Amino acid sequence: DNWEFDMWELQDVTQGHALSVLGFYLIQRAGLMDRFKIKPVKVARLLRAIESGYVDNPYHSAIHAADVLQTMHVIIHAAQLHVHYLDALGLLASYYAAIVHDFAHPGLTGDFLIASSDPLAIRYNDRSPLENHHCAASFGLLRRQELNALAPLSQSERNAFRKQVIELVLATDMKQHFSILSHFNTAPQPVDDTERLLSLQLALKCADIGHLGESLEVHNKWLSNLEEEFFRQGDKERELGIPISPLFDRSKQGVSKSQVGFYDFVALPLVHALSSAFPGSKPLMRW
């Protein structure tokens, strides 16, 4: 429930299972298993399958997903979204979206997938190939009977759950960032499902960069891992003979040296918008 949280420590304590342990705990604590008559053993199996489906990337890993889940949980409760904006099904979908938002991430950017004609880019017609992949691959797990924890839900509940998860995960594509932020800033206080969804999309986007609000030591570890993941892509780009993406070249300045611009143009406007609409989330402004 704390704004600052060292997910690396939880990863050690749980012997490498921070995501599945935290996910199970939050879903159980919220009473969602009882509410929807979901079998705990199936939830546990599903969460372990999701966890194992995350690639061991330096940054976009199961540990990152756990960190985003924890921050999303804190934002939802601090902003009272679970009281005024979310019913039980919406809370379950929000937790699930955070859990799977980078599922099976290859450790490469969408732009790289498109430039290299990767099968994922071909499959999704160059439109949010990563985010579409995270959704499709994670929902694929639910097609397996032994993992389908949502089986007790009615068809209408499953449809609503799926719609919300997809909308939230697709909104994490940075190419949609400024349009989503602009829409949120010009929209009235939520009066319908569309505006409520927009608020949740913004909450997940803030959670996705939540490491900016961690202690300096924890933040620097996340930043170092992100830089290494970018450098690995730069190495691939060099091997393929295609232009190396800015900040991805090991021989030059990396992302750890360019945080000021990200803070000023991406992070601060994002958290300011959310905290202005939901005063309970103002601790985000300490970034």
Side-chain angles (χ1 to χ4, degrees), residues 31-206:
L32 298 173
M33 294 186 206
D34 291 338
R35 169 66 178 78
F36 296 107
K37 297 180 173 55
I38 298 172
K39 294 181 179 179
V41 66
K42 280 202 173 183
V43 174
R45 283 181 193 149
L46 175 62
L47 291 174
R48 279 298 182 96
I50 292 171
E51 190 170 55
S52 65
Y54 268 88
V55 181
D56 189 23
N57 298 311
Y59 184 84
H60 291 102
S61 62
I63 310 174
H64 166 68
D67 195 55
V68 172
L69 171 62
Q70 189 271 336
T71 306
M72 184 68 167
H73 164 74
V74 175
I75 291 175
I76 286 173
H77 287 78
Q80 295 288 288
L81 295 177
H82 65 305
V83 176
H84 305 293
Y85 289 61
L86 287 170
D87 57 11
L89 184 64
L91 181 59
L92 180 62
S94 295
Y95 282 159
Y96 189 81
I99 289 168
V100 304
H101 83 283
D102 274 332
F103 181 68
H105 196 297
L108 302 164
T109 64
D111 285 341
F112 177 88
L113 299 182
I114 294 168
S116 61
S117 297
D118 186 271
L120 289 178
I122 301 299
R123 178 179 303 165
Y124 297 113
N125 300 310
D126 296 347
R127 296 180 180 177
S128 302
L130 285 172
E131 294 73 22
N132 275 297
H133 174 55
H134 305 324
C135 287
S138 64
F139 276 109
L141 293 178
L142 290 170
R143 293 177 60 84
R144 293 165 53 183
Q145 185 176 356
E146 73 275 14
L147 299 179
N148 188 10
L150 303 182
L153 274 62
S154 67
Q155 186 61 53
S156 62
E157 287 173 332
R158 287 197 295 272
N159 290 344
F161 176 92
R162 176 174 165 80
K163 181 179 186 300
Q164 182 176 321
V165 170
I166 291 173
E167 293 290 351
L168 290 183
V169 174
L170 291 184
T172 62
D173 182 358
M174 281 303 295
K175 289 191 179 301
Q176 312 299 325
H177 175 78
F178 292 105
S179 63
I180 290 174
L181 184 59
S182 176
H183 187 187
F184 181 85
N185 285 332
T186 56
Q189 279 297 314
V191 293
D192 58 24
D193 289 341
T194 299
E195 302 307 336
R196 290 189 184 91
L197 179 61
L198 188 61
S199 299
L200 294 172
Q201 288 175 328
L202 217 68
L204 183 57
K205 286 173 64 60
C206 285

Side-chain angles (χ1 to χ4, degrees), residues 218-229:
V218 173
H219 165 64
N220 283 338
K221 185 169 184 177
W222 283 114
L223 192 58
S224 175
N225 283 26
L226 178 62
E227 186 170 65
E228 173 58 28
E229 189 167 305

